[in-house]
Amino acid sequence: MHTVPPQHPQWTVAQFAEQSGIPATTLRYWDDEGLLVADRLVNGHRRYTYGHTARLQMIQMCQALGCTADEIRLILDTPDPAARARYAAEKLPEVLEKIEILRVAATVLRHVAECAHPDAASCGAWMREQLPDDARPAHRPPRRS
Amino acid sequence: MHTVPPQHPQWTVAQFAEQSGIPATTLRYWDDEGLLVADRLVNGHRRYTYGHTARLQMIQMCQALGCTADEIRLILDTPDPAARARYAAEKLPEVLEKIEILRVAATVLRHVAECAHPDAASCGAWMREQLPDDARPAHRPPRRS
DNA sequence: GCACACCTTCGAGCCGACTCGAAGTCAAGC
DNA sequence: GCTTGACTTCGAGTCGGCTCGAAGGTGTGC
């Protein structure tokens, strides 16, 4: 599987845009920003190869994680593996919590899709039971005046 | 559990901000935008109650789902339960896919945190195997010129 | 009755991530 | 050699979601 294609094809920005589903304008923007730097022909035209598709996947995944462009560059381009490992270790719990929230959300959506509450707020009671602690208001009484 | 507190306390915007972790400026903005509309005293000052904490949870969950303010208003305020149910049914697959992506991402992060690859792109090979189909470039060869 | 903390509105500014338009370059085909 | 179409850069605009600052109102304590 994944046999190396003959002749290492390369694509123009428009071709790569069509192939990847990312608008050409965005690809150019990412190139300018150093997020996904295209190869260049002598005339300055951009060319994309298989290596770019791999990096593109990483970028899309990082975006799904809610990373900013700066963070994506950090995790993809930091030459020091230890720094990257530290960043990954920091990010992991955030991702796990996000998964937990989304799972609760999926439950809520399934409920709303089937039961059609008279008003959405009435779901609040059981949502409160399921959300992880740090995804909801503290409920400690504020110091009253 | 959740005994109704005596006297139904209400909080000022600053108190509610401290309690919820949302900046007061943002609460005012959400009030203006109709996302989380505060009660008002006769002098115009905002007051928040337990009902607002429930709605706040919904808002935060919707934000975690990547909803825009418009969408949040739609799902929370549409009087027609059927429309809400339709929206929820549409949104559910997106959420499930997002969970899948995040789970792969968590695996990647765990890997990066432990193994510290020489360069991040070298993870690409096995990432390609695990991502759901629509979260990666199509890899169909573009029509060559 | 005055200070002071806290509240109000309103308009402007900021930030990230695009998105668009104008003007110019380049290569292939007729 | 001229058209055509796809490419280039650069600057400006858009959009969502805040965030800030100014100017003024409110209410409690001394």
Side-chain angles (χ1 to χ4, degrees):
Chain A
M1 60 184 358
H2 290 303
T3 55
V4 175
Q7 326 211 325
H8 304 286
Q10 28 179 39
W11 306 291
T12 68
V13 66
Q15 288 167 339
F16 194 63
E18 201 218 359
Q19 184 192 1
S20 64
I22 308 291
T25 51
T26 303
L27 289 175
R28 276 191 273 267
Y29 169 72
W30 285 356
D31 189 7
D32 294 345
E33 293 293 299
L35 213 56
L36 182 64
V37 178
D39 300 336
R40 297 285 183 146
L41 300 183
V42 283
N43 62 14
H45 286 203
R46 294 173 179 83
R47 281 298 179 276
Y48 294 87
T49 66
Y50 278 102
H52 291 100
T53 66
R55 187 173 169 105
L56 179 62
Q57 282 174 42
M58 305 279 249
I59 291 171
Q60 289 180 311
M61 176 175 293
C62 289
Q63 285 185 325
L65 265 58
C67 294
T68 65
D70 279 349
E71 287 177 317
I72 297 176
R73 267 189 302 267
L74 172 66
I75 204 162
L76 293 186
D77 299 329
T78 300
D80 172 19
R84 242 189 356 258
R86 227 175 303 123
Y87 179 80
E90 272 173 34
K91 201 81 187 174
L92 184 57
E94 288 175 37
V95 174
L96 294 179
E97 190 198 317
K98 207 174 270 184
I99 291 175
E100 204 41 52
I101 292 174
L102 285 180
R103 277 167 35 151
V104 174
T107 309
V108 172
L109 284 179
R110 260 188 287 264
H111 184 82
V112 172
E114 288 168 10
C115 290
H117 272 75
D119 68 301
S122 66
C123 296
W126 53 274
M127 279 170 57
R128 196 156 32 238
E129 305 307 321
Q130 298 179 58
L131 270 181
D133 272 352
D134 38 8
R136 47 179 161 132
H139 259 298
R140 55 183 152 76
R143 37 155 192 58
R144 301 305 305 267
S145 54
Chain B
M1 59 183 2
H2 291 305
T3 54
V4 173
Q7 325 213 325
H8 304 286
Q10 27 178 39
W11 306 290
T12 67
V13 66
Q15 288 167 337
F16 195 64
E18 201 220 359
Q19 183 192 0
S20 64
I22 308 291
T25 51
T26 303
L27 289 175
R28 276 192 274 266
Y29 170 70
W30 286 356
D31 189 7
D32 294 345
E33 293 293 299
L35 214 56
L36 182 64
V37 178
D39 301 334
R40 296 285 183 147
L41 301 182
V42 284
N43 62 15
H45 287 201
R46 293 173 180 83
R47 283 297 179 277
Y48 294 86
T49 66
Y50 278 101
H52 291 100
T53 66
R55 187 174 169 103
L56 179 62
Q57 281 173 44
M58 305 278 249
I59 293 171
Q60 288 179 312
M61 177 176 290
C62 290
Q63 285 184 326
L65 263 58
C67 294
T68 65
D70 279 349
E71 287 177 316
I72 296 176
R73 267 189 301 265
L74 172 67
I75 204 162
L76 293 186
D77 298 329
T78 301
D80 173 20
R84 234 181 13 249
R86 228 176 303 123
Y87 178 80
E90 272 173 34
K91 201 79 187 176
L92 184 57
E94 290 177 35
V95 174
L96 294 178
E97 190 198 314
K98 205 172 272 184
I99 290 174
E100 204 41 51
I101 292 174
L102 285 180
R103 276 166 37 148
V104 174
T107 309
V108 173
L109 284 179
R110 258 187 288 262
H111 184 83
V112 172
E114 286 168 10
C115 289
H117 273 74
D119 68 300
S122 65
C123 298
W126 53 273
M127 278 170 58
R128 196 152 35 235
E129 305 306 320
Q130 299 180 56
L131 268 183
D133 272 353
D134 38 5
R136 49 178 159 134
H139 258 299
R140 56 186 152 74
R143 36 157 192 59
R144 301 304 304 270
S145 56

